[in-house]
Amino acid sequence: MPGTDYAVDLSQGTTPLGAGFLLAPCYVLTAHHCLNDMAPGDDRRHNIAHWTEATGHPGEALRLFRELLHDRTAALGPDHPHTLLNRYRVTRLMRPSVGGDGLTRLLPVFLRVFGEEHPWTRRLRHEIEAP
């Protein structure tokens, strides 16, 4: 459909790469200064970190998730569902370097906050059991 794509200026670090077009208009990457103005509970920052990981940049995704985790913990508290989801993401991305213990430590908190059958609790259990 004409007019449904979004043009964005792309850069890598401080090197401008020019304009780019996103195929899915529901995910628009914004400038870093705009990300800083988003509230800690705003899902857009989480989504950007998620799609950064999904497109093959786990190191950058970990950085984005860590920043968001800091902000969410301060604003929402350590046991808020959004904060816990962020803790899961950070711990999972760090798993190759620190092992599965971090995920195992999250399980009692997930059980208390979400319950045994919640999809996030089940996903965490699956991650813990995976080799």
Side-chain angles (χ1 to χ4, degrees), residues 9 18 48 54 56 68 76 88 115-116 120 123:
D9 288 327
I48 289 168
L68 185 56
L76 305 173
Y88 163 76
E116 182 78 33
W120 291 354
R123 183 173 182 177

Side-chain angles (χ1 to χ4, degrees), residues 91-112:
T91 304
R92 188 180 54 75
L93 282 167
M94 292 177 60
R95 189 175 191 184
S97 62
V98 297
D101 290 343
L103 293 174
T104 302
R105 286 191 300 271
L106 277 178
L107 186 58
V109 181
F110 272 52
L111 288 168
R112 179 173 45 81

Side-chain angles (χ1 to χ4, degrees), residues 8 17 24 26-27 41 45 51 60 64 76 87 97:
V8 295
L17 301 175
C26 59
Y27 297 105
R45 287 176 65 192
W51 287 108
E60 178 64 8
L64 293 170
L76 305 173
R87 282 179 58 194
S97 62

Side-chain angles (χ1 to χ4, degrees), residues 8-9 11 28-38 45 48:
V8 295
D9 288 327
S11 66
V28 179
L29 299 179
T30 61
H32 191 267
H33 69 275
C34 293
L35 293 177
N36 291 336
D37 292 336
M38 292 181 194
R45 287 176 65 192
I48 289 168

